[in-house]
mmCIF file of all heavy atoms in Angstrom:
data_model
loop_
_atom_site.group_PDB
_atom_site.id
_atom_site.type_symbol
_atom_site.label_atom_id
_atom_site.label_comp_id
_atom_site.label_asym_id
_atom_site.label_seq_id
_atom_site.Cartn_x
_atom_site.Cartn_y
_atom_site.Cartn_z
ATOM 1 N N GLU A 122 226.553 200.041 5.799
ATOM 2 C CA GLU A 122 227.094 199.615 7.090
ATOM 3 C C GLU A 122 227.246 200.761 8.089
ATOM 4 O O GLU A 122 227.188 200.532 9.294
ATOM 5 C CB GLU A 122 228.459 198.959 6.879
ATOM 6 C CG GLU A 122 228.392 197.689 6.061
ATOM 7 C CD GLU A 122 229.748 197.034 5.882
ATOM 8 O OE1 GLU A 122 230.535 197.026 6.856
ATOM 9 O OE2 GLU A 122 230.018 196.546 4.781
ATOM 10 N N TYR A 123 227.473 201.971 7.588
ATOM 11 C CA TYR A 123 227.724 203.115 8.460
ATOM 12 C C TYR A 123 226.860 204.291 8.052
ATOM 13 O O TYR A 123 226.516 204.452 6.880
ATOM 14 C CB TYR A 123 229.209 203.517 8.402
ATOM 15 C CG TYR A 123 230.125 202.423 8.893
ATOM 16 C CD1 TYR A 123 230.717 201.529 8.007
ATOM 17 C CD2 TYR A 123 230.379 202.268 10.247
ATOM 18 C CE1 TYR A 123 231.549 200.516 8.454
ATOM 19 C CE2 TYR A 123 231.204 201.256 10.703
ATOM 20 C CZ TYR A 123 231.782 200.381 9.806
ATOM 21 O OH TYR A 123 232.597 199.378 10.252
ATOM 22 N N GLN A 124 226.523 205.138 9.034
ATOM 23 C CA GLN A 124 225.683 206.301 8.789
ATOM 24 C C GLN A 124 226.383 207.563 9.296
ATOM 25 O O GLN A 124 227.103 207.525 10.303
ATOM 26 C CB GLN A 124 224.336 206.161 9.523
ATOM 27 C CG GLN A 124 223.552 204.913 9.162
ATOM 28 C CD GLN A 124 223.160 204.876 7.703
ATOM 29 O OE1 GLN A 124 222.778 205.902 7.133
ATOM 30 N NE2 GLN A 124 223.282 203.712 7.082
ATOM 31 N N VAL A 125 226.150 208.682 8.614
ATOM 32 C CA VAL A 125 226.686 209.966 9.066
ATOM 33 C C VAL A 125 226.096 210.265 10.445
ATOM 34 O O VAL A 125 224.913 210.059 10.685
ATOM 35 C CB VAL A 125 226.337 211.098 8.065
ATOM 36 C CG1 VAL A 125 226.744 212.448 8.617
ATOM 37 C CG2 VAL A 125 227.002 210.837 6.729
ATOM 38 N N GLY A 126 226.953 210.707 11.352
ATOM 39 C CA GLY A 126 226.527 211.006 12.716
ATOM 40 C C GLY A 126 226.808 209.872 13.695
ATOM 41 O O GLY A 126 226.774 210.069 14.906
ATOM 42 N N GLU A 127 227.085 208.696 13.185
ATOM 43 C CA GLU A 127 227.376 207.533 14.026
ATOM 44 C C GLU A 127 228.745 207.702 14.676
ATOM 45 O O GLU A 127 229.695 208.171 14.059
ATOM 46 C CB GLU A 127 227.354 206.291 13.137
ATOM 47 C CG GLU A 127 227.585 204.992 13.840
ATOM 48 C CD GLU A 127 227.544 203.812 12.868
ATOM 49 O OE1 GLU A 127 227.145 203.958 11.704
ATOM 50 O OE2 GLU A 127 227.949 202.723 13.313
ATOM 51 N N THR A 128 228.853 207.323 15.948
ATOM 52 C CA THR A 128 230.125 207.373 16.654
ATOM 53 C C THR A 128 230.782 206.001 16.565
ATOM 54 O O THR A 128 230.148 204.984 16.855
ATOM 55 C CB THR A 128 229.919 207.766 18.130
ATOM 56 O OG1 THR A 128 229.307 209.054 18.174
ATOM 57 C CG2 THR A 128 231.238 207.814 18.877
ATOM 58 N N ILE A 129 232.071 205.997 16.158
ATOM 59 C CA ILE A 129 232.798 204.738 16.012
ATOM 60 C C ILE A 129 234.180 204.840 16.646
ATOM 61 O O ILE A 129 234.725 205.932 16.822
ATOM 62 C CB ILE A 129 232.934 204.313 14.530
ATOM 63 C CG1 ILE A 129 233.665 205.373 13.711
ATOM 64 C CG2 ILE A 129 231.588 203.990 13.928
ATOM 65 C CD1 ILE A 129 233.975 204.937 12.280
ATOM 66 N N LYS A 130 234.725 203.685 16.968
ATOM 67 C CA LYS A 130 236.078 203.606 17.529
ATOM 68 C C LYS A 130 237.039 203.340 16.376
ATOM 69 O O LYS A 130 236.793 202.476 15.525
ATOM 70 C CB LYS A 130 236.129 202.468 18.550
ATOM 71 C CG LYS A 130 237.437 202.325 19.280
ATOM 72 C CD LYS A 130 237.251 201.443 20.502
ATOM 73 C CE LYS A 130 237.850 200.096 20.271
ATOM 74 N NZ LYS A 130 237.867 199.249 21.477
ATOM 75 N N VAL A 131 238.147 204.089 16.321
ATOM 76 C CA VAL A 131 239.130 203.963 15.252
ATOM 77 C C VAL A 131 240.542 204.049 15.829
ATOM 78 O O VAL A 131 240.730 204.490 16.953
ATOM 79 C CB VAL A 131 238.953 205.058 14.170
ATOM 80 C CG1 VAL A 131 237.629 204.912 13.449
ATOM 81 C CG2 VAL A 131 239.086 206.448 14.758
ATOM 82 N N GLN A 132 241.507 203.635 15.008
ATOM 83 C CA GLN A 132 242.912 203.769 15.397
ATOM 84 C C GLN A 132 243.606 204.676 14.396
ATOM 85 O O GLN A 132 243.393 204.561 13.186
ATOM 86 C CB GLN A 132 243.602 202.414 15.427
ATOM 87 C CG GLN A 132 245.048 202.508 15.888
ATOM 88 C CD GLN A 132 245.695 201.148 16.065
ATOM 89 O OE1 GLN A 132 245.244 200.159 15.510
ATOM 90 N NE2 GLN A 132 246.756 201.108 16.855
ATOM 91 N N VAL A 133 244.449 205.561 14.900
ATOM 92 C CA VAL A 133 245.240 206.446 14.046
ATOM 93 C C VAL A 133 246.402 205.621 13.504
ATOM 94 O O VAL A 133 247.213 205.103 14.272
ATOM 95 C CB VAL A 133 245.763 207.667 14.829
ATOM 96 C CG1 VAL A 133 246.620 208.546 13.944
ATOM 97 C CG2 VAL A 133 244.616 208.456 15.434
ATOM 98 N N ILE A 134 246.468 205.472 12.163
ATOM 99 C CA ILE A 134 247.539 204.658 11.586
ATOM 100 C C ILE A 134 248.595 205.486 10.872
ATOM 101 O O ILE A 134 249.683 205.003 10.616
ATOM 102 C CB ILE A 134 246.989 203.560 10.651
ATOM 103 C CG1 ILE A 134 246.154 204.140 9.525
ATOM 104 C CG2 ILE A 134 246.207 202.536 11.446
ATOM 105 C CD1 ILE A 134 245.756 203.133 8.464
ATOM 106 N N ASP A 135 248.288 206.742 10.547
ATOM 107 C CA ASP A 135 249.293 207.588 9.905
ATOM 108 C C ASP A 135 248.886 209.046 10.027
ATOM 109 O O ASP A 135 247.705 209.369 10.006
ATOM 110 C CB ASP A 135 249.450 207.221 8.429
ATOM 111 C CG ASP A 135 250.685 207.850 7.798
ATOM 112 O OD1 ASP A 135 251.663 208.133 8.529
ATOM 113 O OD2 ASP A 135 250.676 208.076 6.584
ATOM 114 N N ILE A 136 249.880 209.904 10.141
ATOM 115 C CA ILE A 136 249.671 211.351 10.128
ATOM 116 C C ILE A 136 250.712 211.934 9.188
ATOM 117 O O ILE A 136 251.913 211.790 9.426
ATOM 118 C CB ILE A 136 249.821 211.979 11.530
ATOM 119 C CG1 ILE A 136 248.807 211.357 12.500
ATOM 120 C CG2 ILE A 136 249.635 213.495 11.459
ATOM 121 C CD1 ILE A 136 248.999 211.765 13.948
ATOM 122 N N ASP A 137 250.255 212.562 8.118
ATOM 123 C CA ASP A 137 251.167 213.176 7.166
ATOM 124 C C ASP A 137 251.696 214.465 7.786
ATOM 125 O O ASP A 137 250.927 215.382 8.063
ATOM 126 C CB ASP A 137 250.445 213.470 5.853
ATOM 127 C CG ASP A 137 251.378 213.979 4.770
ATOM 128 O OD1 ASP A 137 252.329 214.731 5.108
ATOM 129 O OD2 ASP A 137 251.158 213.641 3.603
ATOM 130 N N PRO A 138 253.009 214.570 8.013
ATOM 131 C CA PRO A 138 253.544 215.750 8.697
ATOM 132 C C PRO A 138 253.454 217.031 7.871
ATOM 133 O O PRO A 138 253.508 218.119 8.426
ATOM 134 C CB PRO A 138 255.002 215.378 8.968
ATOM 135 C CG PRO A 138 255.327 214.328 7.969
ATOM 136 C CD PRO A 138 254.052 213.598 7.681
ATOM 137 N N TYR A 139 253.318 216.900 6.563
ATOM 138 C CA TYR A 139 253.272 218.094 5.713
ATOM 139 C C TYR A 139 251.856 218.627 5.547
ATOM 140 O O TYR A 139 251.628 219.826 5.616
ATOM 141 C CB TYR A 139 253.895 217.792 4.349
ATOM 142 C CG TYR A 139 255.338 217.363 4.487
ATOM 143 C CD1 TYR A 139 255.699 216.031 4.350
ATOM 144 C CD2 TYR A 139 256.332 218.279 4.808
ATOM 145 C CE1 TYR A 139 257.012 215.624 4.505
ATOM 146 C CE2 TYR A 139 257.646 217.888 4.974
ATOM 147 C CZ TYR A 139 257.976 216.562 4.816
ATOM 148 O OH TYR A 139 259.279 216.173 4.988
ATOM 149 N N SER A 140 250.912 217.729 5.318
ATOM 150 C CA SER A 140 249.534 218.183 5.089
ATOM 151 C C SER A 140 248.651 218.006 6.323
ATOM 152 O O SER A 140 247.509 218.450 6.321
ATOM 153 C CB SER A 140 248.921 217.398 3.926
ATOM 154 O OG SER A 140 248.814 216.026 4.278
ATOM 155 N N ASN A 141 249.181 217.359 7.368
ATOM 156 C CA ASN A 141 248.433 217.047 8.586
ATOM 157 C C ASN A 141 247.206 216.185 8.330
ATOM 158 O O ASN A 141 246.269 216.190 9.122
ATOM 159 C CB ASN A 141 248.045 218.323 9.345
ATOM 160 C CG ASN A 141 249.240 218.965 9.998
ATOM 161 O OD1 ASN A 141 250.153 218.267 10.434
ATOM 162 N ND2 ASN A 141 249.265 220.277 10.039
ATOM 163 N N GLN A 142 247.186 215.443 7.220
ATOM 164 C CA GLN A 142 246.091 214.518 6.963
ATOM 165 C C GLN A 142 246.271 213.294 7.850
ATOM 166 O O GLN A 142 247.383 212.781 8.007
ATOM 167 C CB GLN A 142 246.057 214.095 5.503
ATOM 168 C CG GLN A 142 245.648 215.225 4.577
ATOM 169 C CD GLN A 142 245.624 214.786 3.122
ATOM 170 O OE1 GLN A 142 246.302 213.849 2.727
ATOM 171 N NE2 GLN A 142 244.822 215.477 2.337
ATOM 172 N N ILE A 143 245.161 212.831 8.402
ATOM 173 C CA ILE A 143 245.195 211.708 9.331
ATOM 174 C C ILE A 143 244.525 210.507 8.692
ATOM 175 O O ILE A 143 243.396 210.605 8.207
ATOM 176 C CB ILE A 143 244.494 212.081 10.656
ATOM 177 C CG1 ILE A 143 245.216 213.267 11.306
ATOM 178 C CG2 ILE A 143 244.436 210.890 11.587
ATOM 179 C CD1 ILE A 143 244.523 213.812 12.524
ATOM 180 N N SER A 144 245.224 209.386 8.693
ATOM 181 C CA SER A 144 244.664 208.132 8.191
ATOM 182 C C SER A 144 244.220 207.307 9.387
ATOM 183 O O SER A 144 244.967 207.137 10.359
ATOM 184 C CB SER A 144 245.703 207.346 7.397
ATOM 185 O OG SER A 144 246.091 208.072 6.260
ATOM 186 N N LEU A 145 243.009 206.785 9.292
ATOM 187 C CA LEU A 145 242.421 206.024 10.378
ATOM 188 C C LEU A 145 242.129 204.603 9.930
ATOM 189 O O LEU A 145 242.016 204.331 8.741
ATOM 190 C CB LEU A 145 241.124 206.685 10.842
ATOM 191 C CG LEU A 145 241.223 208.151 11.261
ATOM 192 C CD1 LEU A 145 239.839 208.740 11.451
ATOM 193 C CD2 LEU A 145 242.027 208.277 12.536
ATOM 194 N N SER A 146 241.970 203.706 10.888
ATOM 195 C CA SER A 146 241.610 202.328 10.596
ATOM 196 C C SER A 146 240.484 201.900 11.521
ATOM 197 O O SER A 146 240.564 202.078 12.736
ATOM 198 C CB SER A 146 242.803 201.396 10.787
ATOM 199 O OG SER A 146 242.409 200.050 10.596
ATOM 200 N N ARG A 147 239.461 201.342 10.936
ATOM 201 C CA ARG A 147 238.368 200.754 11.721
ATOM 202 C C ARG A 147 238.661 199.282 11.982
ATOM 203 O O ARG A 147 238.409 198.772 13.052
ATOM 204 C CB ARG A 147 237.047 200.920 10.954
ATOM 205 C CG ARG A 147 235.873 200.224 11.559
ATOM 206 C CD ARG A 147 235.303 201.002 12.717
ATOM 207 N NE ARG A 147 234.097 200.339 13.186
ATOM 208 C CZ ARG A 147 233.872 200.050 14.440
ATOM 209 N NH1 ARG A 147 234.729 200.414 15.368
ATOM 210 N NH2 ARG A 147 232.775 199.446 14.815
ATOM 211 N N ARG A 148 239.230 198.604 10.983
ATOM 212 C CA ARG A 148 239.453 197.167 11.136
ATOM 213 C C ARG A 148 240.485 196.848 12.202
ATOM 214 O O ARG A 148 240.478 195.770 12.780
ATOM 215 C CB ARG A 148 239.820 196.526 9.808
ATOM 216 C CG ARG A 148 241.196 196.838 9.314
ATOM 217 C CD ARG A 148 241.455 196.153 8.006
ATOM 218 N NE ARG A 148 242.780 196.485 7.554
ATOM 219 C CZ ARG A 148 243.432 195.820 6.648
ATOM 220 N NH1 ARG A 148 242.864 194.793 6.077
ATOM 221 N NH2 ARG A 148 244.631 196.182 6.288
ATOM 222 N N ALA A 149 241.383 197.774 12.499
ATOM 223 C CA ALA A 149 242.411 197.538 13.516
ATOM 224 C C ALA A 149 241.825 197.437 14.921
ATOM 225 O O ALA A 149 242.461 196.862 15.804
ATOM 226 C CB ALA A 149 243.453 198.647 13.476
ATOM 227 N N VAL A 150 240.627 197.978 15.128
ATOM 228 C CA VAL A 150 240.033 197.951 16.465
ATOM 229 C C VAL A 150 238.819 197.031 16.548
ATOM 230 O O VAL A 150 238.156 196.983 17.583
ATOM 231 C CB VAL A 150 239.637 199.376 16.929
ATOM 232 C CG1 VAL A 150 240.859 200.239 17.073
ATOM 233 C CG2 VAL A 150 238.630 199.999 15.990
ATOM 234 N N LEU A 151 238.537 196.290 15.482
ATOM 235 C CA LEU A 151 237.418 195.350 15.530
ATOM 236 C C LEU A 151 237.761 194.191 16.460
ATOM 237 O O LEU A 151 238.916 193.772 16.531
ATOM 238 C CB LEU A 151 237.090 194.843 14.127
ATOM 239 C CG LEU A 151 236.528 195.896 13.170
ATOM 240 C CD1 LEU A 151 236.361 195.303 11.776
ATOM 241 C CD2 LEU A 151 235.205 196.438 13.672
ATOM 242 N N PRO A 152 236.786 193.671 17.187
ATOM 243 C CA PRO A 152 237.068 192.618 18.181
ATOM 244 C C PRO A 152 237.767 191.396 17.601
ATOM 245 O O PRO A 152 238.684 190.864 18.222
ATOM 246 C CB PRO A 152 235.678 192.242 18.704
ATOM 247 C CG PRO A 152 234.800 193.390 18.381
ATOM 248 C CD PRO A 152 235.384 194.050 17.168
ATOM 249 N N GLU A 153 237.387 190.959 16.394
ATOM 250 C CA GLU A 153 238.016 189.758 15.835
ATOM 251 C C GLU A 153 239.485 189.984 15.506
ATOM 252 O O GLU A 153 240.301 189.088 15.605
ATOM 253 C CB GLU A 153 237.255 189.228 14.608
ATOM 254 C CG GLU A 153 237.160 190.183 13.465
ATOM 255 C CD GLU A 153 235.892 191.032 13.458
ATOM 256 O OE1 GLU A 153 235.188 191.088 14.469
ATOM 257 O OE2 GLU A 153 235.637 191.649 12.416
ATOM 258 N N VAL A 154 239.851 191.205 15.136
ATOM 259 C CA VAL A 154 241.249 191.512 14.841
ATOM 260 C C VAL A 154 242.054 191.547 16.130
ATOM 261 O O VAL A 154 243.162 191.021 16.202
ATOM 262 C CB VAL A 154 241.370 192.853 14.079
ATOM 263 C CG1 VAL A 154 242.811 193.263 13.922
ATOM 264 C CG2 VAL A 154 240.683 192.751 12.730
ATOM 265 N N GLU A 155 241.488 192.150 17.169
ATOM 266 C CA GLU A 155 242.196 192.203 18.447
ATOM 267 C C GLU A 155 242.392 190.804 19.020
ATOM 268 O O GLU A 155 243.438 190.483 19.571
ATOM 269 C CB GLU A 155 241.440 193.102 19.422
ATOM 270 C CG GLU A 155 241.510 194.566 19.032
ATOM 271 C CD GLU A 155 240.716 195.482 19.943
ATOM 272 O OE1 GLU A 155 239.923 194.984 20.768
ATOM 273 O OE2 GLU A 155 240.888 196.694 19.825
ATOM 274 N N GLU A 156 241.393 189.928 18.881
ATOM 275 C CA GLU A 156 241.519 188.547 19.348
ATOM 276 C C GLU A 156 242.588 187.800 18.558
ATOM 277 O O GLU A 156 243.369 187.046 19.115
ATOM 278 C CB GLU A 156 240.176 187.819 19.244
ATOM 279 C CG GLU A 156 239.220 188.136 20.362
ATOM 280 C CD GLU A 156 239.778 187.796 21.737
ATOM 281 O OE1 GLU A 156 240.311 186.682 21.926
ATOM 282 O OE2 GLU A 156 239.697 188.654 22.626
#
């Protein structure tokens, strides 16, 4: 479904304050979810 180098829209769903790891979500910004 996805390829390296592809640009996608995502939402930041969590940022770990200790390790600064960022969790992202693709499904949160899909058109059917927003609708």
Side-chain angles (χ1 to χ4, degrees):
E122 296 181 40
Y123 298 95
Q124 303 298 320
V125 173
E127 182 180 349
T128 300
I129 59 173
K130 184 165 106 172
V131 295
Q132 183 174 21
V133 178
I134 57 172
D135 193 26
I136 301 172
D137 186 324
Y139 300 104
S140 65
N141 288 326
Q142 291 180 335
I143 299 173
S144 297
L145 305 170
S146 176
R147 173 79 175 130
R148 73 180 179 162
V150 296
L151 293 175
E153 60 267 14
V154 173
E155 290 177 349
E156 281 301 312

